Amino acid sequence: MVTLLAASLLGVSAPNAPGTRAASATAATCAGLTLDVHPGVNRAGSKPAPASEAAPDAPRGSFSVSLPPYPEATPLSPWAASPYPETLLSAYLQTAGAEYQSSDSVTIVSAWFRSHLPACGWHTNGYWNGNASVFTAGRTFVSNANPDLSVEMSYGHGASDGSYIGYGVEWIIYPPRPAASYLHGPFTQVRIARRRPRNILPNSSLVQRVVHTTVRDRTEIRRLVSAINSVGGYHTVPALCLGGGAARFGGPAWLAFIRPDSSAVHAYEIGPGACLGLAVNSRRWLIDTGVVWKQILRLTRP
């Protein structure tokens, strides 16, 4: 079972403003609410999403997130509305939700979370307003410990000047990287072929050409191998993204790592990011954050 507490802080506090609750953060209050995520979008609060929404190799297991509960709030069942104003476009998204009601106003509740969640190891990553449901405002918080983990805090006006509180946890969890995707040397050379676009005439369309480079410097080879072996993210279903493919980054690139006995390990990179990817030894796709791609561009620079 994996339980992620964004931070464990003792005695962190902020001065109380008139009409607001105390915002002290302790390990107990930061972990007072624990939610278990499931693959896909958890729409009902307790049931996993349909399997069609999740990647077939999405990790199944016990993944829990600890969050601070609002003081004296009571659980809502059924939910007042969806706690997800929007969801991430990833087949590896896992979610969990919870909803509460409080006698305090939206102003007081939202101010409490704005001060309390940062003290528990989260930072703000945007806010929203709307009128599509009872939740009319909210704020996105991202874990300081894991950029793939966020919680949507949604607020709405309840009866008698009270409020509704929605927690919408979104966590992208990738499967483990296959052992066969790691490079094992030594290698005497790396042969790289990279497709590079170029304009022949002004305002003309791009023409693709392939440039070939052979790297024999052992230090450069070790640096490239180390970069590839350090990639942690892996998925078989790339994210759905807009904005161009390999040509946008100056690729793709084909690589052959040659051993002293002339055997080779092949790799192929479309480009960096979760929308593209890197394949090694036919295992795809590793999620290169740009570390590998920058080295490929440097090694194949004219």
Side-chain angles (χ1 to χ4, degrees):
M1 177 176 181
V2 177
T3 301
L4 185 59
L5 174 61
S8 181
L9 304 177
L10 297 175
V12 178
S13 61
N16 296 343
T20 64
R21 291 184 181 270
S24 62
T26 66
T29 55
C30 286
L33 173 64
T34 299
L35 299 177
D36 298 325
V37 298
H38 300 284
V41 179
N42 186 347
R43 304 184 190 283
S46 60
K47 297 179 180 179
S52 60
E53 294 187 12
D57 59 342
R60 266 75 171 175
S62 296
F63 299 98
S64 300
V65 179
S66 295
L67 294 161
Y70 190 76
E72 300 178 14
T74 57
L76 272 178
S77 183
W79 286 358
S82 171
Y84 313 102
E86 60 183 13
T87 54
L88 303 172
L89 294 177
S90 173
Y92 295 91
L93 175 66
Q94 304 210 22
T95 64
E99 295 187 3
Y100 292 81
Q101 57 185 350
S102 171
S103 58
D104 291 339
S105 68
V106 168
T107 300
I108 293 175
V109 169
S110 60
W112 187 90
F113 280 104
R114 282 200 309 273
S115 62
H116 209 83
L117 276 167
C120 289
W122 303 77
H123 63 271
T124 299
N125 191 40
Y127 61 91
W128 60 272
N129 294 279
N131 57 7
S133 74
V134 298
F135 292 122
T136 55
R139 190 172 291 262
T140 303
F141 293 89
V142 177
S143 167
N144 294 341
N146 183 353
D148 290 327
L149 172 62
S150 63
V151 58
E152 298 283 357
M153 294 303 308
S154 301
Y155 314 108
H157 297 281
S160 303
D161 296 325
S163 58
Y164 295 122
I165 306 168
Y167 296 79
V169 175
E170 299 181 344
W171 190 354
I172 296 178
I173 304 176
Y174 294 114
R177 176 177 171 175
S181 68
Y182 289 91
L183 293 170
H184 300 284
F187 300 105
T188 58
Q189 60 178 274
V190 180
R191 300 169 187 167
I192 306 174
R194 180 166 69 89
R195 183 174 292 160
R196 294 175 54 191
R198 65 172 180 171
N199 285 322
I200 297 179
L201 297 173
N203 302 320
S204 67
S205 59
L206 292 177
V207 175
Q208 304 288 335
R209 66 189 182 100
V210 177
V211 295
H212 297 268
T213 303
T214 299
V215 181
R216 294 184 173 87
D217 185 293
R218 298 297 179 92
T219 300
E220 293 286 9
I221 293 173
R222 285 194 296 268
R223 185 178 292 123
L224 181 58
V225 169
S226 177
I228 291 176
N229 285 344
S230 70
V231 173
Y234 169 79
H235 58 191
T236 59
V237 182
L240 177 62
C241 304
L242 303 176
R248 173 186 171 193
F249 297 97
W254 296 261
L255 301 90
F257 293 82
I258 311 300
R259 295 191 177 98
D261 62 0
S262 298
S263 64
V265 179
H266 296 276
Y268 170 72
E269 175 149 11
I270 306 175
C275 302
L276 303 175
L278 166 67
V280 179
N281 202 22
S282 300
R283 272 46 176 196
R284 57 186 186 183
W285 296 99
L286 305 181
I287 304 172
D288 174 21
T289 59
V291 176
V292 176
W293 190 248
K294 288 178 181 177
Q295 291 205 35
I296 293 174
L297 293 181
R298 181 177 58 81
L299 292 171
T300 57
R301 186 178 298 131

